[in-house]
Structures are given as structure tokens and as C-alpha cells.
Amino acid sequence: MNGTLWLAWRQQRLPALAGLLLVAACAVWAAIRHAELADIVGGHDLTACKGWNGTCPVDVEVAIFDHTPGIRALGTLAVLLPAAIGMFWGAPLVGREIERGTVKLALTQGAGARSWFAARFGLAALCATFLSAAVAALLAWWWEPIANMQDGVYWFDPYILSGTGPAAVAGALFALAAGTAIGLLVRRTLPAMGLTAAAVLATTAFLTFFRRDWVAPVDRITPGMTPKRLIGSGWSAGYRYLTPDGVQHPLENCALSGEELRVCMAGHGYTGRVHKVYPSSDFWTFQAIDTAVYLGLAAALVALTAVLLHRRRGLV
């Protein structure tokens, strides 16, 4: 290791080691708790426990209840990790060099701005990928034995949907790119850290609240007053009422059940109920949306940073 890569490692080894310690601590915690969980659920057939209407043995129910807070805590860490990477790694990556004036020294040592930036950002991106992938994998491993079981953590909870899978890694890379670009534009580390946190959390919140608008749910139709089909591990998107011409009407027109529902449906001429549901297989559809958005934004921000650095005379 030499040149710009050696310099990048010297300047980033502390956050890299801190991240490695974080992953090690999470691995020990998850391994201990996962072993406890496996001992409890290992002797049971958990098929009947799946979904909102599942029924579990008492000791499995207790295990789900006991492990849910820990899984949610690790999930919260996984969801917030990209913002932390953007704040504490991305924002100072270039912004601190400009703020302190050390970027002039770095760019006058024979290394071009392109190779200097490539070494710094490449190493940071490699570390961010490892950290986010490791935490996401630990979370998924701990959650998997009791995934989508009654009163537990479901696939569409933000802890799982945003904290596991390729979307978690893409989110970390986006946060790193956002912090780097903001640090370069603001040229002050502390303001850049605050703006980065706001930008990353706003993007995460936008995807959390609006990604469902880009995917059509499945319609589960129940004719007349027939008992509704069980939702299983699906994600409910609400109810509608159906008229003979196939038009769906909003929920507020009738009560949910009982004689009041029957009278209301007869009065409005409704012939059935429609339950809009996202099946658990949509997990990968939502993951693909998040991953594409994050990686697209990250690529655009890295390109912007590279263009601005190419005009480094105006920046330093």
C-alpha cells in the first residue's frame, strides 16, 4: 500500500477500526441471543406460528416476545447506520481537508485530484459496504427463526425492510456520497454533518412513507358476508367494498362486521369486500426500489463531487 491509498488509510483507520469494533460487538450480542432463541424454538414445528393469525406453543410465544425488543434495537441501529456513516465519515472526507487547507498539500504532492479522491472515497465506500452488510446480515440471521410470526417483527417493519438486504448497503453508500458532496460544497465539517444527517434521514423517510405508492397491492375479494380470508404474513393496504359493476368503494361507508355491516352492504348494493394486501414476496420488490433509488442518487452525487474536484482551483 503506497501513495494516495496509504494516505487514505492513515487518515481513515480510526473510523474503520471503530466500525470493526461495532460489528464485533453486534456479532457477539446477536450470536448469544440467537443461540438462546434456537434452543427454545428448535424442537417445535413453527409452521402454524406464521402470520397474524398463527398459533404458537407458549414457550415459543414467550421467546418471540422476549427477542422482539432486541431485534428491533439492532434494526434501529441498522436503519440509522447510513446516517452515521454520512455524518462522521462522508462529511469530513473532503470537507475537513478543505476547511483545514490540507487539501492544497495533498494535491501538490504529485497526485491528481482524481486519484486522490478515488483512493479516499474508494476506501470509505469499501468500509461502508462491509459495515452495513455485516450489520444487515446479523439482523437477518437473528430475525429469521421467528420471522413473520404472530406479535413479532414482520418483513414490512422498517427495522427489517430498511435494515436488511441490499437496500441497507445501498443506503450506506448513498449516505457516504451525500456526506462527501455536502462537505465539498459547504467546506465546513460541522454544518456539513448536520445537513448530511437531515438529507439522509429525509430520503429514508420519503422511501418509507411513499414506496408503497409505486407497487400495486393484490386484491383479495370476499363475496357477500363470507368470512374474510386470513391475511397470513401479508401487509394490509386497507379495505374496499365491491359493487356488481366491479367498482370499489372506500371503507368508511360501512362498519367492519356484524349485522350493521350486513345492513349497510345491502343498503348500498355491495356484493363483496376487497382486502388489498402486499404479500411477503413483495419484500424483494420494495428492496429493489430502495436499492435502485439509493444507488442512483449515490452515482449522481459521486459524479457531482468528481466534477467539482476537477475544478479544484476554484475550491481550494
Side-chain angles (χ1 to χ4, degrees):
M1 186 183 300
N2 52 35
T4 53
L5 186 58
W6 176 86
L7 178 61
W9 167 248
R10 290 278 298 178
Q11 293 178 324
Q12 298 180 53
R13 57 185 176 180
L14 285 181
L17 292 175
L20 190 60
L21 287 175
L22 174 66
V23 169
C26 290
V28 172
W29 179 33
I32 293 173
R33 298 292 283 156
H34 186 275
E36 296 172 354
L37 180 62
D39 286 341
I40 296 172
V41 304
H44 297 280
D45 178 9
L46 303 181
T47 306
C49 299
K50 294 288 185 181
W52 292 100
N53 309 102
T55 54
C56 286
V58 174
D59 50 348
V60 175
E61 284 189 14
V62 171
I64 294 173
F65 180 79
D66 184 44
H67 283 261
T68 295
I71 291 172
R72 286 179 174 160
L74 186 58
T76 301
L77 172 64
V79 171
L80 295 179
L81 185 60
I85 289 174
M87 284 179 64
F88 298 106
W89 209 321
L93 192 65
V94 175
R96 181 172 293 164
E97 297 280 342
I98 296 175
E99 183 179 26
R100 294 178 175 174
T102 51
V103 65
K104 297 178 181 178
L105 177 63
L107 295 181
T108 54
Q109 298 302 308
R114 184 175 299 173
S115 62
W116 175 78
F117 172 67
R120 294 182 67 79
F121 188 83
L123 180 62
L126 183 65
C127 294
T129 299
F130 170 76
L131 290 175
S132 56
V135 173
L138 288 170
L139 174 61
W141 179 58
W142 185 358
W143 171 67
E144 192 277 334
I146 53 174
N148 302 323
M149 292 185 184
Q150 65 172 143
D151 297 329
V153 182
Y154 283 78
W155 63 272
F156 50 82
D157 284 321
Y159 313 104
I160 303 301
L161 194 50
S162 299
T164 63
V169 179
L173 293 175
F174 157 68
L176 180 67
T180 305
I182 292 172
L184 178 60
L185 290 169
V186 175
R187 308 185 193 186
R188 295 289 184 273
T189 304
L190 284 178
M193 292 171 70
L195 289 173
T196 299
V200 173
L201 293 177
T203 305
T204 302
F206 175 82
L207 288 173
T208 299
F209 288 111
F210 293 105
R211 63 163 76 91
R212 289 210 316 183
D213 295 341
W214 304 333
V215 180
V218 175
D219 286 347
R220 293 182 177 176
I221 298 175
T222 302
M225 288 291 292
T226 305
K228 297 187 295 291
R229 291 172 54 188
L230 300 179
I231 193 173
S233 300
W235 186 8
S236 175
Y239 286 96
R240 297 290 187 275
Y241 293 97
L242 196 66
T243 48
D245 56 2
V247 176
Q248 297 181 10
H249 300 266
L251 173 67
E252 57 264 25
N253 288 346
C254 285
L256 290 175
S257 61
E259 180 63 16
E260 189 178 352
L261 170 64
R262 190 191 66 76
V263 172
C264 179
M265 289 183 65
H268 287 84
Y270 296 148
T271 56
R273 287 164 289 171
V274 181
H275 194 176
K276 293 184 171 298
V277 174
Y278 294 99
S280 58
S281 57
D282 278 349
F283 171 83
W284 293 109
T285 302
F286 291 122
Q287 279 274 317
I289 291 173
D290 286 12
T291 301
V293 170
Y294 282 137
L295 290 183
L297 290 173
L301 290 166
V302 170
L304 173 65
T305 303
V307 169
L308 292 176
L309 275 174
H310 185 67
R311 304 171 181 174
R312 60 189 185 281
R313 289 184 179 178
L315 293 169
V316 301

